[in-house]
Each structure stands twice: as C-alpha cells, then as structure tokens.
Amino acid sequence: MKKSILKIIGAFFAVAFVLLCVNINYVAIFDIPQSVHLTLAELEALNSQKTFGGYVNAELNENIFTVGGERKHNTSLLIKLFGIFPIKKVNAVVEETKEVYIGGIPLGFSINTKGLIVVGENKLNKNAKKSPFKTGDIISKINGASINNPEDVAIALKDNNADIVNIGIIRNGLEQEIVAIKQFDDENGESKLGLWVRDDAQGIGTLTFVTKDGKFGALGHSICDYETGVEIPVQDGGVYLCNLVGINKAQKGKTGEIRCLFSQTKNPNGKIIKNTKCGVYGNTENYDALVDSNLVAPIGNRMLVKLGKAQIVSSVSGIRQFYDIEIIKSKFQPSSSDKSFVFRVIDKDLINLTGGIVQGMSGSPILQDGRLIGAVTHVFLNDATKGYGVYIDWMMEQTA
C-alpha cells in the first residue's frame, strides 16, 4: 500500500516538474538585463501574453528607504512563480507611454566624415618606404592638429619642417598613434602622405521614426564606407527626400535594390548627428515632408516581441503601405545588436513587387500589435523573403 502511494506521489511530482519546465520561459527570464525601462501598459502586456511562462508573472515593487535623513525610493521588477516565489529581481524605470511618427519612406543620406578614411596607398616616388597605414584606418590628427578634410592634411604637413610626423588614427574602433614619413611628390615637390583617402559618403535607406520633438532614427544599421567596410564617423551630414525611379527585384543568391535619386541641396530635410551600429540619427524641423501626422504608434519594449504576425511599413510601391510578415525567431539581447530577430515576408504583394527584402529597405518600421517594435536591417542572401530586424529599444537609446 505504501509503495503504491509513493509511486502516485512520485508520478505527481514528475508530472508537475514537466509542466513547470514546459510552462516557464527560462531563457526569457534570465536574459532580462539588470535594469529595464517599461510602461505600466507594457507590464500588463507582459503578463497577459505570458511572456515568461504560464505560471510566471511580473510585478513592480517600490522600496522606500532613508539616507542621511532624506527619503528615497527605487523600483524593481520582480519575476515570480505562481505569484509567490521570486525567481529574478532587476532595477526598473517606469516611463510614460511614448508615441512616435512612423517613417517608411526612402531617404538620401550624405555624411561628411570626422577624419579621413584611408582607401589605398599612392606611392609618389621610388624611394618611398612602406606605409604604416592600413586600408580602413581613419586619420583624425596630424601632430596634434585635427583633420577633417584633405586640405587639413596639406596644411599640417606644410607647417611641419620634420620629415617624420605623428599621426592619430582610429583602427578597428580604437584610437592609436603611429609615425609616418612624409613623401615628396616628384611632380610638384609638395609634402604628402602617399595615400588615397575619402572624406564623405552617400547612400539610400529608409526612415524609421520621428519623435514629437523632432529627433529621427533611420536605417537600423550603420552607414559604412563601400570599399573598406569601415563605419563612417560623422562630422556633419544631411538627409534628403528621394524620388523612387525603379526596383531591381531580388533573385536567389542576388540582392535586389530600390533605385532612388536625391538632390543634395543646401537645405536638407534633417541634420545627421550620429552614425551607429543600430542606425543613423539626427534632428529635423520639417515634419510634414517626412511623416504622415496620422500615422503614430507607441514604442514597444523588446520584451513584448513575440513570434508570429507583424507588419513592415514601406514605400516601395510609391506610397506608404503595410505589408505582412511573421517573426520566426527573437532574442532578448541584454546588449544592442542590429540582428535582434528574424522575420519572413508572407505578403504576396511585396514578394511580387520586390522579391522580398531589398537594399534601400533597411530602416523600414516593423509593427506588432499596434506597437513599433523595430526596423529592418539585413536580408538573407539565399532567401530574400527572410531578414533581420533590430529592436526599437536600441534605436531609441540613440535619441536620448
């Protein structure tokens, strides 16, 4: 009799253990960073969507304490099993729901680099020694003087009587100093470094959002030099409205593109301030030209992103339209990356028009359950209907 009872109890606990394992999203719980920003509506959605599992809920806990006679408080997000047993506790900042204007239109980007990008070597005479520079180096200083254009190099070398110069560079994202020997041009006798350099970059991408105080985010990934792959450091730059002139449809093993033209005038539609791994950012005063004032959506926390239906906003047809996609893989990502989740295009109209995701669509807003959750960043080369998206959290951080 006792053995039978023990077997029943053992079977009960075994079943209970399996149910717990199946109904608790351990990965999602332990991937929560030590500090989170969320709204009360997002907290409610986390629990209603059972983000952390069927038997797990999240709640806010406010702790009031006294330091030096002054009352202070901090807020925590508690993850609890059965609403009783705490599993994880992190710092929380409760925010008001923030709404932004949705983008979806192509833009032309023009950036003047902060420094000069080395794109190749140009030996000026037979006696020139091997260059200490590498392709992709960014020249930022010469003998302590800031360098922003080729004219700055000529001035710095002319003002230096010695043959050896100290060069401040950025290589692989790290600042360092190297020593270079001036070369003398046999044709005109001028001092030079014997390099091919570039001081600007242009490209086409898509606007993701504009905040109500005029800050914009676009592209979802950085603008890089097309020859060296180096992320362009920004001195200044502008964004411009584009005219869509055609589409090269994506094919298997071949990336398609939207073809646009833009005119780089003295009055851009926005000024570029940052070029980061999660997009291009700046300010604009010309709202009407960039957004539809009726197309507004709240920001969606990355913890709310789930597998299933979502939508891309794009103007590849010539007007802003919503196209159906499905998110097939996502990560919680404790740190920023431009490959936060994977999606598949399921909208037949978009597939017929472009073949899927094409160059120029990077930055296209992605919405789920009425919230802006991210932007398109990359396409799968072997399947243009699949692509990567970046969480809007990482983009919004750049506008702070």
Side-chain angles (χ1 to χ4, degrees):
M1 183 70 177
K2 286 183 178 180
K3 288 184 178 179
S4 297
I5 293 174
L6 289 175
K7 286 182 179 180
I8 293 171
I9 293 173
F12 171 79
F13 280 109
V15 171
F17 178 75
V18 171
L19 287 174
L20 281 176
C21 290
V22 171
N23 286 278
I24 297 178
N25 189 343
Y26 294 100
V27 174
I29 293 171
F30 291 106
D31 275 353
I32 300 173
Q34 289 304 308
S35 181
V36 297
H37 293 244
L38 76 170
T39 67
L40 293 177
E42 289 172 340
L43 176 64
E44 184 179 339
L46 285 174
N47 289 323
S48 64
Q49 292 178 191
K50 301 186 184 302
T51 301
F52 303 116
Y55 302 129
V56 180
N57 71 296
E59 63 182 51
L60 293 173
N61 180 50
E62 189 168 6
N63 180 34
I64 300 174
F65 57 97
T66 302
V67 178
E70 183 180 353
R71 284 168 61 86
K72 296 187 176 182
H73 71 277
N74 64 7
T75 304
S76 302
L77 180 70
L78 280 175
I79 310 300
K80 290 184 175 181
L81 178 63
F82 302 125
I84 301 173
F85 305 107
I87 301 174
K88 188 168 184 176
K89 177 181 178 181
V90 299
N91 295 324
V93 177
V94 181
E95 301 177 328
E96 296 292 327
T97 299
K98 187 171 186 177
E99 292 187 330
V100 295
Y101 297 110
I102 301 302
I105 63 169
L107 292 176
F109 299 85
S110 177
I111 295 179
N112 294 316
T113 66
K114 189 174 184 179
L116 300 177
I117 301 173
V118 177
V119 296
E121 189 176 355
N122 178 30
K123 286 189 177 182
L124 299 173
N125 56 66
K126 296 179 180 179
N127 298 322
K129 294 187 177 180
K130 185 177 180 181
S131 173
F133 297 95
K134 293 183 178 180
T135 300
D137 285 347
I138 299 170
I139 300 173
S140 58
K141 292 182 179 181
I142 295 180
N143 288 334
S146 294
I147 302 298
N148 291 311
N149 53 60
E151 289 75 21
D152 290 340
V153 175
I155 293 170
L157 294 180
K158 186 177 180 180
D159 291 343
N160 181 66
N161 294 323
D163 289 341
I164 296 176
V165 289
N166 296 314
I167 312 290
I169 65 169
I170 300 172
R171 179 179 291 169
N172 299 324
L174 300 175
E175 294 184 8
Q176 55 183 282
E177 190 170 280
I178 62 176
V179 174
I181 298 175
K182 290 192 293 188
Q183 295 184 32
F184 292 90
D185 193 329
D186 290 337
E187 291 185 3
N188 55 31
E190 292 181 357
S191 299
K192 296 182 179 180
L193 292 177
L195 299 171
W196 295 112
V197 296
R198 186 159 31 249
D199 64 349
D200 61 6
Q202 288 82 35
I204 301 294
T206 297
L207 175 68
T208 306
F209 65 85
V210 178
T211 66
K212 293 187 176 180
D213 58 353
K215 298 175 181 178
F216 71 82
L219 208 61
H221 60 71
S222 63
I223 293 179
C224 295
D225 179 69
Y226 70 93
E227 281 190 280
T228 66
V230 171
E231 185 177 290
I232 304 292
V234 175
Q235 175 70 22
D236 54 54
V239 295
Y240 303 86
L241 292 176
C242 285
N243 290 319
L244 179 65
V245 296
I247 297 173
N248 291 337
K249 193 172 180 179
Q251 300 175 7
K252 189 172 182 179
K254 187 176 181 181
T255 305
E257 65 175 343
I258 58 173
R259 303 196 311 275
C260 296
L261 295 176
F262 70 94
S263 177
Q264 189 175 332
T265 64
K266 292 182 179 180
N267 298 309
N269 295 93
K271 295 181 179 179
I272 296 173
I273 296 174
K274 294 181 182 178
N275 178 36
T276 77
K277 64 181 178 180
C278 291
V280 177
Y281 304 88
N283 298 317
T284 177
E285 297 178 359
N286 190 357
Y287 283 51
D288 294 339
L290 298 179
V291 298
D292 178 349
S293 60
N294 296 313
L295 188 53
V296 179
I299 295 299
N301 194 295
R302 68 184 181 278
M303 290 189 291
L304 293 174
V305 177
K306 60 187 179 182
L307 304 185
K309 292 183 179 180
Q311 290 180 308
I312 287 176
V313 183
S314 177
S315 299
V316 288
S317 68
I319 59 173
R320 280 188 184 89
Q321 286 188 257
F322 288 75
Y323 296 102
D324 292 331
I325 63 170
E326 59 180 3
I327 296 173
I328 56 177
K329 184 178 180 181
S330 66
K331 308 174 187 176
F332 265 59
Q333 280 189 330
S335 59
S336 61
S337 167
D338 59 5
K339 293 182 178 179
S340 305
F341 55 90
V342 179
F343 64 88
R344 178 188 292 114
V345 176
I346 58 175
D347 196 293
K348 292 182 179 179
D349 289 340
L350 182 58
I351 294 173
N352 289 335
L353 183 63
T354 64
I357 303 302
V358 296
Q359 290 183 15
M361 288 180 67
S362 293
S364 297
I366 297 177
L367 283 77
Q368 188 176 58
D369 297 330
R371 304 183 186 94
L372 177 63
I373 61 166
V376 174
T377 58
H378 300 85
V379 62
F380 283 53
L381 291 179
N382 61 344
D383 184 357
T385 65
K386 292 172 67 176
Y388 286 102
V390 59
Y391 289 135
I392 199 64
D393 295 43
W394 307 136
M395 297 188 72
M396 293 303 299
E397 279 186 1
Q398 300 299 324
T399 65

